Amino acid sequence: MLRVRPLHFTSRLDSWGRLLTALGMVRTENDSGWQVFDAGLGRLALHAVPEGAAEDGSTALAVEVGDLAEFARRTNLAAAEDGTTPAELVAADHGDACRITAPDGFSFLADKAAHGAQCADADPALAVVGVWFTEDPASASRTLQQVGARPRPVPDQDDTADFTAKNGGVLMVRPASGAPRSGLGFEYDGGLEPLRERLASAGIQAGITEEAFARTLHVANPDAGAAAHVPATLWISQRHA
């Protein structure tokens, strides 16, 4: 199995909880500063940090798998023709995990899923999106295919690449200068106006923009102002078949 489950660090858990609930996500884990919200496709984990901490407002790309050892074996087998072994079983702070390290130096963790099925009450049209920004999008794309992500067509023909995970969520590769880093977004398979109205009824303002390849709903980031690197808004792109 493979499911997208980014890890977001925040000093504003309550504000994130209100936003994610308004988006149609359902909290399925809540344990001492650790919360997990299910979307229809994918999950988002929230990790509480003190206000002003270096991690505050940042997101780490992460996925969930069924069996860590089997996931590592399959990933390294898929990468064998490149002469690499990107997957390594490690003991992380929170327990056993598998670390995947790409040629650009970027790494992310695969954790064993705490529970398998998505919450049936979550909005089925909402998907969690993990983004990988890198100067080497080609090798990032190869790495995602090696872990089992499935390529999907994108409307533009530049260095962008989109992938879906078998058990939910979207992974995107986007070219960017500087050190590789991760980002967070969402997709919605439906009209954005009803979603905007749902947010408004929860007291959350959002605006729709017409972009080159998709309409996008921009929502105020609960972490805005936490640090210079934190974007002012979060994006929810309209999914096109």
Side-chain angles (χ1 to χ4, degrees):
M1 69 165 288
L2 182 71
R3 178 184 292 112
V4 178
R5 195 223 61 195
L7 172 59
H8 186 76
F9 300 91
T10 181
S11 61
R12 305 172 186 182
L13 278 179
D14 289 345
S15 296
W16 270 95
R18 288 192 294 271
L19 171 59
L20 298 180
T21 300
L23 286 175
M25 299 180 71
V26 177
R27 186 167 57 194
T28 54
E29 295 181 48
N30 186 12
D31 182 21
S32 184
W34 171 268
Q35 300 183 10
V36 177
F37 284 79
D38 282 19
L41 297 167
R43 291 181 174 133
L44 177 63
L46 302 178
H47 191 301
V49 296
E51 186 173 1
E55 305 95 332
D56 198 6
S58 65
T59 304
L61 184 67
V63 297
E64 289 184 339
V65 299
D67 183 281
L68 292 170
E70 180 62 11
F71 170 76
R73 185 191 71 82
R74 290 184 179 182
T75 298
N76 288 332
L77 181 63
E81 64 181 40
D82 289 342
T84 62
T85 53
E88 175 189 13
L89 296 175
V90 297
D93 293 341
H94 57 278
D96 293 337
C98 180
R99 180 174 298 280
I100 298 92
T101 303
D104 66 357
F106 182 76
S107 68
F108 61 95
L109 289 180
D111 290 312
K112 182 175 175 57
H115 52 283
Q118 295 289 121
C119 179
D121 294 330
D123 187 338
L126 186 73
V128 177
V129 180
V131 189
W132 181 345
F133 297 101
T134 177
E135 292 184 340
D136 188 1
S139 69
S141 295
R142 286 197 303 274
T143 299
L144 292 180
Q145 291 183 73
Q146 289 161 3
V147 304
R150 300 168 171 175
R152 73 176 188 187
V154 290
D156 49 352
Q157 297 299 316
D158 55 15
D159 289 332
T160 65
D162 288 9
F163 300 83
T164 58
K166 177 181 179 181
N167 298 90
V170 177
L171 295 165
M172 294 182 175
V173 174
R174 295 295 182 264
S177 58
R181 61 193 187 278
S182 57
L184 172 67
F186 300 90
E187 278 190 353
Y188 199 71
D189 189 10
L192 294 180
E193 285 80 6
L195 183 57
R196 180 178 60 184
E197 292 172 6
R198 193 164 77 205
L199 289 166
S201 68
I204 300 170
Q205 298 304 307
I208 296 174
T209 61
E210 302 286 344
E211 302 187 8
F213 298 102
R215 303 176 76 225
T216 304
L217 187 67
H218 291 272
V219 184
N221 188 338
D223 292 318
H229 68 270
V230 177
T233 62
L234 298 168
W235 51 266
I236 302 104
S237 292
Q238 187 171 29
R239 172 77 175 108
H240 290 287

